[in-house]
Amino acid sequence: SAVISQKPSRDICQRGTSLTIQCQVDSQVTMMFWYRQQPGQSLTLIATANQGSEATYESGFVIDKFPISRPNLTFSTLTVSNMSPEDSSIYLCSVWTSSNYGYTFGSGTRLTVV
Amino acid sequence: AQTVTQSQPEMSVQEAETVTLSCTYDTSESDYYLFWYKQPPSRQMILVIRQEAYKQQNATENRFSVNFQKAAKSFSLKISDSQLGDAAMYFCAYRRSGGANSKLTFGKGITLSVRP
């Protein structure tokens, strides 16, 4: 299965600032998925990122708040913009690997906004 | 829309005993995948077991097995010979069969504690 390197692993940010999270995959993948996991909660899909086109956002998430970059088939970034304490969550990226019919996840970014 | 329901927020098991985690789902699709993921405090999501809906045989991975009841839309996870390292949050998840852009839908999760 694919291996994903996600950075940073954690950060503490001031409100009003932005943070960019990176995911690097060790193989080419068509789609990358970005999730948010609020404290003690389940994972909620933010958007699906395809290389060469704009990301597709889920209801309740907008591009201005969570811009996504997908410059090639092995890399993607998610930016959390104009942060507020409500954005404090774990953010995870994920890919589907058809070779083993499973999803692989990055190790997550724990974001705290103060 | 597909939904995944995990009604038990917490469960506890004695070390070396067996525990079953429940999951139900709702879908109009006939072909899909079901998963159980484990998330320890390290927050890394780890695939525990996968079931293809077209397979009647229940999936098994070492101490982990599922009871897949397609007609009842039920997908429970049985952990045998529980170990301290099994303590984690467990998520049941659904994915319809299809292309690479098919989404994974998660249940709310269940926190499993293991008593020594």
Side-chain angles (χ1 to χ4, degrees):
Chain A
S1 60
V3 175
I4 302 176
S5 174
Q6 182 171 345
K7 297 178 182 179
S9 61
R10 61 178 62 221
D11 207 341
I12 301 174
C13 300
Q14 296 291 323
R15 69 176 65 201
T17 63
S18 297
L19 175 72
T20 295
I21 302 166
Q22 301 179 3
C23 278
Q24 178 75 52
V25 189
D26 68 345
S27 59
Q28 294 185 339
V29 293
T30 305
M31 291 291 183
M32 292 185 72
F33 302 88
W34 286 97
Y35 291 87
R36 181 176 73 182
Q37 185 179 23
Q38 294 178 303
Q41 303 298 313
S42 185
L43 283 73
T44 300
L45 183 64
I46 297 172
T48 304
N50 192 4
Q51 190 266 336
S53 62
E54 279 200 5
T56 301
Y57 289 82
E58 297 297 300
S59 175
F61 298 96
V62 295
I63 187 172
D64 290 346
K65 176 67 175 177
F66 298 101
I68 287 172
S69 166
R70 184 81 202 276
N72 57 54
L73 291 173
T74 63
F75 186 78
S76 180
T77 66
L78 169 76
T79 299
V80 186
S81 303
N82 188 25
M83 288 184 286
S84 66
E86 291 71 35
D87 294 320
S88 297
S89 295
I90 296 170
Y91 293 85
L92 301 104
C93 60
S94 177
V95 300
W96 168 258
T97 49
S98 56
S99 59
N100 68 341
Y101 293 98
Y103 287 89
T104 301
F105 286 82
S107 54
T109 296
R110 183 182 296 276
L111 170 64
T112 302
V113 183
V114 297
Chain B
Q2 294 81 17
T3 58
V4 178
T5 302
Q6 294 178 255
S7 57
Q8 307 154 303
E10 296 179 354
M11 286 195 75
S12 180
V13 63
Q14 190 76 36
E15 192 176 7
E17 297 295 310
T18 296
V19 64
T20 298
L21 311 183
S22 301
C23 173
T24 60
Y25 59 95
D26 188 26
T27 183
S28 58
E29 304 281 342
S30 60
D31 196 13
Y32 48 86
Y33 300 94
L34 295 165
F35 305 86
W36 278 97
Y37 278 90
K38 170 185 177 181
Q39 188 180 42
S42 67
R43 73 178 176 267
Q44 178 70 56
M45 292 290 285
I46 302 167
L47 176 63
V48 174
I49 201 165
R50 175 187 65 243
Q51 175 80 41
E52 291 92 333
Y54 68 87
K55 291 186 177 180
Q56 292 186 337
Q57 186 174 7
N58 289 325
T60 300
E61 289 287 343
N62 301 313
R63 298 183 295 108
F64 299 89
S65 61
V66 298
N67 183 4
F68 172 49
Q69 301 290 328
K70 190 173 184 179
K73 296 181 181 175
S74 171
F75 183 61
S76 61
L77 175 69
K78 185 172 79 172
I79 305 174
S80 304
D81 185 24
S82 297
Q83 301 175 359
L84 295 177
D86 294 333
M89 199 156 186
Y90 286 81
F91 294 96
C92 179
Y94 166 99
R95 177 190 191 269
R96 69 174 177 84
S97 181
N101 62 341
S102 292
K103 300 181 291 188
L104 196 58
T105 301
F106 287 92
K108 289 188 175 182
I110 178 171
T111 300
L112 178 67
S113 58
V114 181
R115 304 187 301 276

